Amino acid sequence: MADVNRGNRPLSPHLQIYRPQWTSMSSIMVRITGIGCLIASVLVVAWLLAAASSEAAFAVVDGLLRSVLGNLILIAAVWGIFYHMLGRLRHVLWDFGHFIQVPVSEDMAKGMFILATLLTIFVVIAV
């Protein structure tokens, strides 16, 4: 049956008037880092396949990963792994009913950015 009152209903907020919250941006970043982790794992598999196939193939892939661009990609991958891990941990805590108050969850979202960055800096310095 057709809805004749379709024009009288309120519209959903559009992206131009919607104010992003820390929790929503963090949720989107967890999804993006999940895809980034998949791409990083393809690079690791390519490196292992090159190592198993020939010395020349390994030199090419290893040279790419040891270049400045390769180092930036690997640092971004490490940050993405830490951020994704913290996001999954946050969801586990929420599943148990902890830290679900809005101010606390927003602080956790901010903390995820900070902690993932600090852990990445620690790994880069340690290696």
Side-chain angles (χ1 to χ4, degrees), residues 99-118:
F99 309 114
I100 55 176
Q101 301 82 12
V102 174
V104 176
S105 63
E106 286 183 356
D107 288 342
M108 286 180 71
K110 294 173 190 175
M112 285 170 53
F113 279 104
I114 294 167
L115 190 57
T117 303
L118 291 175

PDB file of all heavy atoms in Angstrom, residues 99-118:
ATOM      1  N   PHE A  99      31.605   0.667  30.703  1.00  0.00           N
ATOM      2  CA  PHE A  99      32.019   1.893  30.018  1.00  0.00           C
ATOM      3  C   PHE A  99      31.063   2.309  28.893  1.00  0.00           C
ATOM      4  O   PHE A  99      31.495   2.832  27.875  1.00  0.00           O
ATOM      5  CB  PHE A  99      33.436   1.752  29.446  1.00  0.00           C
ATOM      6  CG  PHE A  99      34.440   1.276  30.443  1.00  0.00           C
ATOM      7  CD1 PHE A  99      35.051   0.038  30.301  1.00  0.00           C
ATOM      8  CD2 PHE A  99      34.766   2.049  31.535  1.00  0.00           C
ATOM      9  CE1 PHE A  99      35.980  -0.405  31.212  1.00  0.00           C
ATOM     10  CE2 PHE A  99      35.704   1.614  32.462  1.00  0.00           C
ATOM     11  CZ  PHE A  99      36.302   0.387  32.308  1.00  0.00           C
ATOM     12  N   ILE A 100      29.764   2.083  29.068  1.00  0.00           N
ATOM     13  CA  ILE A 100      28.817   2.427  28.011  1.00  0.00           C
ATOM     14  C   ILE A 100      28.191   3.807  28.187  1.00  0.00           C
ATOM     15  O   ILE A 100      27.400   4.225  27.352  1.00  0.00           O
ATOM     16  CB  ILE A 100      27.709   1.351  27.895  1.00  0.00           C
ATOM     17  CG1 ILE A 100      27.008   1.143  29.227  1.00  0.00           C
ATOM     18  CG2 ILE A 100      28.273   0.064  27.350  1.00  0.00           C
ATOM     19  CD1 ILE A 100      25.858   0.173  29.172  1.00  0.00           C
ATOM     20  N   GLN A 101      28.577   4.519  29.232  1.00  0.00           N
ATOM     21  CA  GLN A 101      28.081   5.878  29.398  1.00  0.00           C
ATOM     22  C   GLN A 101      28.709   6.749  28.304  1.00  0.00           C
ATOM     23  O   GLN A 101      29.863   6.579  27.940  1.00  0.00           O
ATOM     24  CB  GLN A 101      28.441   6.438  30.781  1.00  0.00           C
ATOM     25  CG  GLN A 101      27.905   5.648  31.945  1.00  0.00           C
ATOM     26  CD  GLN A 101      28.771   4.438  32.298  1.00  0.00           C
ATOM     27  OE1 GLN A 101      29.882   4.305  31.815  1.00  0.00           O
ATOM     28  NE2 GLN A 101      28.237   3.564  33.127  1.00  0.00           N
ATOM     29  N   VAL A 102      27.947   7.704  27.793  1.00  0.00           N
ATOM     30  CA  VAL A 102      28.389   8.507  26.649  1.00  0.00           C
ATOM     31  C   VAL A 102      29.709   9.245  26.922  1.00  0.00           C
ATOM     32  O   VAL A 102      30.630   9.164  26.103  1.00  0.00           O
ATOM     33  CB  VAL A 102      27.272   9.483  26.191  1.00  0.00           C
ATOM     34  CG1 VAL A 102      27.775  10.421  25.112  1.00  0.00           C
ATOM     35  CG2 VAL A 102      26.073   8.697  25.695  1.00  0.00           C
ATOM     36  N   PRO A 103      29.854   9.960  28.044  1.00  0.00           N
ATOM     37  CA  PRO A 103      31.137  10.659  28.251  1.00  0.00           C
ATOM     38  C   PRO A 103      32.324   9.697  28.351  1.00  0.00           C
ATOM     39  O   PRO A 103      33.412   9.981  27.841  1.00  0.00           O
ATOM     40  CB  PRO A 103      30.946  11.404  29.570  1.00  0.00           C
ATOM     41  CG  PRO A 103      29.487  11.466  29.807  1.00  0.00           C
ATOM     42  CD  PRO A 103      28.902  10.280  29.111  1.00  0.00           C
ATOM     43  N   VAL A 104      32.107   8.554  28.975  1.00  0.00           N
ATOM     44  CA  VAL A 104      33.194   7.575  29.120  1.00  0.00           C
ATOM     45  C   VAL A 104      33.548   6.971  27.767  1.00  0.00           C
ATOM     46  O   VAL A 104      34.732   6.814  27.432  1.00  0.00           O
ATOM     47  CB  VAL A 104      32.796   6.481  30.132  1.00  0.00           C
ATOM     48  CG1 VAL A 104      33.861   5.402  30.212  1.00  0.00           C
ATOM     49  CG2 VAL A 104      32.529   7.078  31.492  1.00  0.00           C
ATOM     50  N   SER A 105      32.553   6.650  26.964  1.00  0.00           N
ATOM     51  CA  SER A 105      32.840   6.059  25.654  1.00  0.00           C
ATOM     52  C   SER A 105      33.512   7.063  24.729  1.00  0.00           C
ATOM     53  O   SER A 105      34.351   6.683  23.908  1.00  0.00           O
ATOM     54  CB  SER A 105      31.573   5.491  25.024  1.00  0.00           C
ATOM     55  OG  SER A 105      30.632   6.507  24.791  1.00  0.00           O
ATOM     56  N   GLU A 106      33.185   8.351  24.860  1.00  0.00           N
ATOM     57  CA  GLU A 106      33.881   9.367  24.069  1.00  0.00           C
ATOM     58  C   GLU A 106      35.334   9.499  24.515  1.00  0.00           C
ATOM     59  O   GLU A 106      36.228   9.652  23.681  1.00  0.00           O
ATOM     60  CB  GLU A 106      33.161  10.708  24.168  1.00  0.00           C
ATOM     61  CG  GLU A 106      31.880  10.745  23.373  1.00  0.00           C
ATOM     62  CD  GLU A 106      31.197  12.094  23.416  1.00  0.00           C
ATOM     63  OE1 GLU A 106      31.669  12.997  24.132  1.00  0.00           O
ATOM     64  OE2 GLU A 106      30.186  12.237  22.707  1.00  0.00           O
ATOM     65  N   ASP A 107      35.570   9.427  25.810  1.00  0.00           N
ATOM     66  CA  ASP A 107      36.949   9.455  26.309  1.00  0.00           C
ATOM     67  C   ASP A 107      37.724   8.231  25.843  1.00  0.00           C
ATOM     68  O   ASP A 107      38.919   8.329  25.523  1.00  0.00           O
ATOM     69  CB  ASP A 107      36.973   9.540  27.832  1.00  0.00           C
ATOM     70  CG  ASP A 107      36.537  10.901  28.350  1.00  0.00           C
ATOM     71  OD1 ASP A 107      36.536  11.866  27.563  1.00  0.00           O
ATOM     72  OD2 ASP A 107      36.178  10.993  29.551  1.00  0.00           O
ATOM     73  N   MET A 108      37.065   7.087  25.776  1.00  0.00           N
ATOM     74  CA  MET A 108      37.722   5.880  25.284  1.00  0.00           C
ATOM     75  C   MET A 108      38.083   6.036  23.808  1.00  0.00           C
ATOM     76  O   MET A 108      39.151   5.581  23.375  1.00  0.00           O
ATOM     77  CB  MET A 108      36.832   4.657  25.485  1.00  0.00           C
ATOM     78  CG  MET A 108      36.740   4.200  26.918  1.00  0.00           C
ATOM     79  SD  MET A 108      35.684   2.761  27.099  1.00  0.00           S
ATOM     80  CE  MET A 108      36.683   1.500  26.351  1.00  0.00           C
ATOM     81  N   ALA A 109      37.211   6.667  23.022  1.00  0.00           N
ATOM     82  CA  ALA A 109      37.502   6.888  21.604  1.00  0.00           C
ATOM     83  C   ALA A 109      38.716   7.794  21.436  1.00  0.00           C
ATOM     84  O   ALA A 109      39.596   7.529  20.607  1.00  0.00           O
ATOM     85  CB  ALA A 109      36.281   7.481  20.906  1.00  0.00           C
ATOM     86  N   LYS A 110      38.786   8.855  22.233  1.00  0.00           N
ATOM     87  CA  LYS A 110      39.953   9.739  22.192  1.00  0.00           C
ATOM     88  C   LYS A 110      41.207   8.980  22.641  1.00  0.00           C
ATOM     89  O   LYS A 110      42.278   9.129  22.045  1.00  0.00           O
ATOM     90  CB  LYS A 110      39.739  10.949  23.101  1.00  0.00           C
ATOM     91  CG  LYS A 110      38.648  11.872  22.643  1.00  0.00           C
ATOM     92  CD  LYS A 110      38.380  12.948  23.681  1.00  0.00           C
ATOM     93  CE  LYS A 110      37.135  13.738  23.339  1.00  0.00           C
ATOM     94  NZ  LYS A 110      36.781  14.706  24.398  1.00  0.00           N
ATOM     95  N   GLY A 111      41.055   8.180  23.680  1.00  0.00           N
ATOM     96  CA  GLY A 111      42.175   7.402  24.194  1.00  0.00           C
ATOM     97  C   GLY A 111      42.700   6.385  23.194  1.00  0.00           C
ATOM     98  O   GLY A 111      43.896   6.085  23.181  1.00  0.00           O
ATOM     99  N   MET A 112      41.810   5.859  22.343  1.00  0.00           N
ATOM    100  CA  MET A 112      42.250   4.901  21.334  1.00  0.00           C
ATOM    101  C   MET A 112      43.225   5.559  20.358  1.00  0.00           C
ATOM    102  O   MET A 112      44.244   4.966  19.995  1.00  0.00           O
ATOM    103  CB  MET A 112      41.047   4.331  20.577  1.00  0.00           C
ATOM    104  CG  MET A 112      40.251   3.322  21.353  1.00  0.00           C
ATOM    105  SD  MET A 112      38.703   2.887  20.546  1.00  0.00           S
ATOM    106  CE  MET A 112      39.232   2.437  18.913  1.00  0.00           C
ATOM    107  N   PHE A 113      42.910   6.777  19.905  1.00  0.00           N
ATOM    108  CA  PHE A 113      43.822   7.489  19.009  1.00  0.00           C
ATOM    109  C   PHE A 113      45.171   7.718  19.687  1.00  0.00           C
ATOM    110  O   PHE A 113      46.224   7.470  19.104  1.00  0.00           O
ATOM    111  CB  PHE A 113      43.222   8.852  18.612  1.00  0.00           C
ATOM    112  CG  PHE A 113      42.214   8.787  17.514  1.00  0.00           C
ATOM    113  CD1 PHE A 113      40.870   8.900  17.796  1.00  0.00           C
ATOM    114  CD2 PHE A 113      42.605   8.631  16.193  1.00  0.00           C
ATOM    115  CE1 PHE A 113      39.924   8.854  16.785  1.00  0.00           C
ATOM    116  CE2 PHE A 113      41.670   8.587  15.173  1.00  0.00           C
ATOM    117  CZ  PHE A 113      40.322   8.695  15.481  1.00  0.00           C
ATOM    118  N   ILE A 114      45.126   8.175  20.930  1.00  0.00           N
ATOM    119  CA  ILE A 114      46.357   8.500  21.646  1.00  0.00           C
ATOM    120  C   ILE A 114      47.170   7.238  21.930  1.00  0.00           C
ATOM    121  O   ILE A 114      48.378   7.189  21.672  1.00  0.00           O
ATOM    122  CB  ILE A 114      46.022   9.249  22.954  1.00  0.00           C
ATOM    123  CG1 ILE A 114      45.408  10.611  22.630  1.00  0.00           C
ATOM    124  CG2 ILE A 114      47.252   9.399  23.834  1.00  0.00           C
ATOM    125  CD1 ILE A 114      44.770  11.305  23.808  1.00  0.00           C
ATOM    126  N   LEU A 115      46.512   6.198  22.442  1.00  0.00           N
ATOM    127  CA  LEU A 115      47.232   4.980  22.806  1.00  0.00           C
ATOM    128  C   LEU A 115      47.789   4.260  21.579  1.00  0.00           C
ATOM    129  O   LEU A 115      48.923   3.752  21.620  1.00  0.00           O
ATOM    130  CB  LEU A 115      46.327   4.047  23.614  1.00  0.00           C
ATOM    131  CG  LEU A 115      46.993   2.851  24.266  1.00  0.00           C
ATOM    132  CD1 LEU A 115      48.129   3.283  25.187  1.00  0.00           C
ATOM    133  CD2 LEU A 115      45.970   2.043  25.050  1.00  0.00           C
ATOM    134  N   ALA A 116      47.036   4.223  20.487  1.00  0.00           N
ATOM    135  CA  ALA A 116      47.551   3.594  19.271  1.00  0.00           C
ATOM    136  C   ALA A 116      48.774   4.344  18.757  1.00  0.00           C
ATOM    137  O   ALA A 116      49.754   3.722  18.319  1.00  0.00           O
ATOM    138  CB  ALA A 116      46.463   3.553  18.203  1.00  0.00           C
ATOM    139  N   THR A 117      48.748   5.660  18.857  1.00  0.00           N
ATOM    140  CA  THR A 117      49.893   6.455  18.418  1.00  0.00           C
ATOM    141  C   THR A 117      51.104   6.223  19.328  1.00  0.00           C
ATOM    142  O   THR A 117      52.225   6.046  18.834  1.00  0.00           O
ATOM    143  CB  THR A 117      49.518   7.950  18.392  1.00  0.00           C
ATOM    144  OG1 THR A 117      48.378   8.111  17.533  1.00  0.00           O
ATOM    145  CG2 THR A 117      50.656   8.796  17.885  1.00  0.00           C
ATOM    146  N   LEU A 118      50.877   6.208  20.638  1.00  0.00           N
ATOM    147  CA  LEU A 118      51.990   5.966  21.565  1.00  0.00           C
ATOM    148  C   LEU A 118      52.582   4.574  21.387  1.00  0.00           C
ATOM    149  O   LEU A 118      53.816   4.407  21.413  1.00  0.00           O
ATOM    150  CB  LEU A 118      51.522   6.170  23.008  1.00  0.00           C
ATOM    151  CG  LEU A 118      51.194   7.609  23.413  1.00  0.00           C
ATOM    152  CD1 LEU A 118      50.617   7.639  24.830  1.00  0.00           C
ATOM    153  CD2 LEU A 118      52.424   8.486  23.305  1.00  0.00           C
TER     154      LEU A 118
END
